[in-house]
């Protein structure tokens, strides 16, 4: 199964991606996670990406397209993949089409998680992430059972710098301007599944499974 996940910052892409990747046994490829790891390690790419991420802006297309092309050429993507956070611009979507044409592996579906704008700021500013394993929580909607610690590994939870209200708002504005048009791009190709992202995490996952049910 070759899938992409669309949706605004905070829609629940990462949360759902973990479950989808497990259910369909495909690698979860998150460009946001790849950049955060590169920033942590202060690699050359990480240093370049950091200023854009801190400002809530998109990392330039040529950097993103390069790392995704390299990742999709790895052997574990032969059986399929789930792209989370890519593509985010028309240029990235076109580049993805070309990469997949070269690999002779057309995309199956684009899953678009829809959440009203007013819910997104609350989801982003309340998000907490485990320092050790990257699990995602929310101070109200998906809290850990242990105060400030990860349920899976006991690691410490922290708030992403770009989840502070000012930067979160900028990310939403960037999404509306640069990424929203992609919904039509995939609709016109007949590959789009719109999913209501406002229910519980389990309810959203059920809808995604239903939408993918008939996909080979
Ligand atoms: P990235 O990491 O991709 O961030 P994003 O798209 O803004 O997505 P988020 O991780 O914020 O949200 P999500 O939809 O995954 O939500 P989550 O599941 O965590 O990108 C970060 C930065 O990297 C970008 O700003 C950019 O600079 C750069 N970048 C990355 N890719 C790029 C690209 N292709 N091109 C250029 N630059 C790129 O959920 C959010 C919260 O809500 C959590 O707390 C969760 O617990 C909670 N939640 C989830 N589901 C529910 C639910 N059903 N009900 C209630 N709460 C819920
Ligand atoms: Zn953890």
């Amino acid at each position: 199964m070759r899938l992409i996940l669309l949706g605004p910052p905070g829609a629940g892409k990462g949360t759902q991606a973990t479950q989808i990747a497990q259910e369909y046994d495909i690698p979860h490829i998150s460009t946001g996670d790849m950049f955060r790891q590169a920033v942590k390690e202060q690699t050359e790419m990480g240093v370049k990406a950091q200023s854009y991420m801190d400002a809530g802006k998109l990392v330039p297309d040529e950097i993103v397209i390069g790392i995704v092309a390299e990742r999709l050429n790895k052997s574990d993507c032969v059986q399929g993949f789930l792209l989370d956070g890519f593509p985010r611009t028309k240029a990235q979507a076109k580049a993805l089409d070309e990469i997949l044409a070269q690999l002779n592996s057309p995309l199956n579906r684009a899953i678009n998680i829809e959440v009203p704008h007013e819910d997104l700021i609350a989801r982003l500013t309340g998000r907490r992430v485990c320092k050790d394993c990257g699990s995602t929580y929310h101070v109200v909607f998906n809290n850990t059972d242990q105060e400030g610690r990860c349920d899976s590994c006991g690691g410490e939870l922290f708030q992403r710098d770009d989840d502070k209200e000012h930067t979160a708002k900028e990310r939403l504005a960037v999404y509306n301007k640069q990424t929203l048009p992609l919904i039509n791009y995939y609709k016109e190709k007949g590959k789009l599944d719109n999913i209501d992202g406002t229910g519980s995490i389990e309810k959203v996952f059920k809808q995604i499974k239903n939408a993918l049910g008939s996909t080979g």
Side-chain angles (χ1 to χ4, degrees):
M1 188 102 72
R2 292 175 293 272
L3 306 172
I4 63 173
L5 266 182
L6 296 170
K13 300 184 295 297
T15 302
Q16 295 298 329
T18 310
Q19 301 193 52
I20 299 168
Q22 214 169 10
E23 176 85 13
Y24 297 97
D25 197 19
I26 47 178
H28 169 201
I29 303 172
S30 157
T31 43
D33 286 349
M34 287 161 98
F35 284 131
R36 277 185 289 278
Q37 187 63 30
V39 168
K40 202 166 149 191
E41 292 168 4
Q42 286 290 292
T43 64
E44 200 184 325
M45 183 186 78
V47 171
K48 274 190 202 154
Q50 187 164 17
S51 58
Y52 297 98
M53 296 174 80
D54 286 349
K57 308 274 187 212
L58 295 183
V59 175
D61 284 336
E62 59 275 17
I63 299 178
V64 193
I65 291 166
I67 63 162
V68 172
E70 196 180 313
R71 183 66 187 84
L72 289 176
N73 271 288
K74 294 217 163 128
S75 59
D76 63 338
C77 291
V78 171
Q79 297 303 322
F81 54 80
L82 172 62
L83 279 169
D84 161 12
F86 182 95
R88 256 174 154 99
T89 62
K90 269 259 174 75
Q92 291 181 18
K94 291 204 167 125
L96 178 64
D97 288 345
E98 280 168 28
I99 296 165
L100 295 183
Q102 270 170 17
L103 292 170
N104 209 5
S105 305
L107 190 73
N108 294 113
R109 307 298 303 165
I111 300 161
N112 177 38
I113 306 181
E114 299 179 299
V115 174
H117 188 93
E118 51 274 23
D119 295 349
L120 294 169
I121 288 291
R123 285 198 186 186
L124 290 170
T125 53
R127 171 166 49 191
R128 299 293 181 269
V129 183
C130 173
K131 261 193 177 123
D132 294 332
C133 75
S135 293
T136 297
Y137 298 90
H138 191 282
V139 292
V140 178
F141 310 132
N142 182 23
N143 215 343
T144 162
D145 294 331
Q146 318 165 52
E147 187 75 19
R149 298 251 157 212
C150 174
D151 286 337
S152 313
C153 76
E156 202 183 315
L157 303 186
F158 74 102
Q159 183 179 35
R160 268 168 53 175
D161 279 344
D162 64 350
D163 279 346
K164 304 267 162 63
E165 190 166 340
H166 177 77
T167 316
K169 282 188 171 155
E170 176 61 23
R171 286 162 58 209
L172 289 173
V174 167
Y175 168 83
N176 285 332
K177 198 165 162 213
Q178 294 185 264
T179 310
L180 199 59
L182 293 190
I183 293 173
N184 249 338
Y185 185 82
Y186 289 104
K187 190 175 174 193
E188 281 167 8
K189 286 177 180 281
K191 303 214 171 195
L192 188 74
D193 290 308
N194 284 317
I195 301 291
D196 173 7
T198 58
S200 67
I201 292 170
E202 295 71 31
K203 210 170 138 198
V204 176
F205 183 51
K206 252 191 204 149
Q207 288 180 65
I208 294 174
K209 276 204 292 189
N210 284 342
L212 294 178
S214 53
T215 307

